[in-house]
Amino acid sequence: AHMQARYAILRVLLEAGEGLVSISRKEEEVVISLDRSKILSVGRKAMAAFLEKLNVYKVRRGGRGGES
């Protein structure tokens, strides 16, 4: 479950664009870079939208009052 969460967060940050996160390849390694100067502006908005969407899915799930 933790790996899936990490992947979901990476996808959200990549889809936010604006150079927040980039992935490059150096020889046999994959390098993920994060622009720290954009965390509070771009990153915060992207994560807020993701968490809001996630919360809506949890609340609507089977009418169980948001339980996971």
Side-chain angles (χ1 to χ4, degrees):
H2 287 93
M3 288 303 293
Q4 290 174 336
R6 288 182 186 117
Y7 177 74
I9 291 169
L10 176 61
R11 294 296 311 164
V12 166
L13 297 177
L14 279 169
E15 290 172 11
E18 299 186 43
L20 175 64
V21 175
S22 63
I23 298 178
S24 61
R25 188 172 191 156
K26 294 185 179 179
E27 296 178 22
E28 296 296 316
E29 296 180 348
V30 175
V31 178
I32 300 172
S33 301
L34 174 68
D35 185 346
R36 296 176 78 165
S37 69
K38 296 181 181 179
I39 292 173
L40 293 177
S41 58
V42 179
R44 180 181 281 173
K45 271 191 237 173
M47 289 307 299
F50 171 70
L51 292 173
E52 183 177 332
K53 187 188 301 185
L54 183 63
N55 193 39
V56 168
Y57 288 145
K58 284 178 67 176
V59 168
R60 291 185 177 176
R61 182 180 166 180
R64 297 191 313 180
E67 295 175 10
S68 53

